[in-house]
Amino acid sequence: MGDQEPVVDPSRPVYVWRQVADWIAHRIESGELQPGARLEGERELAEQVGVAVGTVRRAVEDLRERGLVVTLPAKGTFVADRSNS
């Protein structure tokens, strides 16, 4: 992640999983992650952000609930195509 601001700030009064979910949502909304793009794996994201795999798992669950991503078992998690919604 280089010199960027850290994704997670434990001192903020926001759940860490929510901070991770909001970071990924921002990447989607900014166009960094296009519809159909595959998200990094849970382990890779956890290492990248410096959190536990379970935290990333909860963040991805939240993104699914928001309709931002879809998960295909044994395939991965992909940015949802919301152009038809």
Side-chain angles (χ1 to χ4, degrees), residues 35-79:
R38 186 176 186 278
L39 262 58
E40 299 93 331
E42 290 177 347
R43 282 187 186 89
E44 186 179 339
L45 274 171
E47 285 181 24
Q48 185 178 350
V49 180
V51 298
V53 172
T55 301
V56 170
R57 193 166 290 144
R58 178 62 183 95
V60 170
E61 181 182 325
D62 180 68
L63 293 168
R64 276 196 305 269
E65 290 169 1
R66 294 191 214 181
L68 294 175
V69 301
V70 293
T71 300
L72 302 173
K75 294 267 186 199
T77 299
F78 300 86
V79 176

Side-chain angles (χ1 to χ4, degrees), residues 28-29 35 66-69 80-85:
I28 293 169
E29 290 158 8
R66 294 191 214 181
L68 294 175
V69 301
D81 182 358
R82 300 184 309 154
S83 61
N84 297 332
S85 49

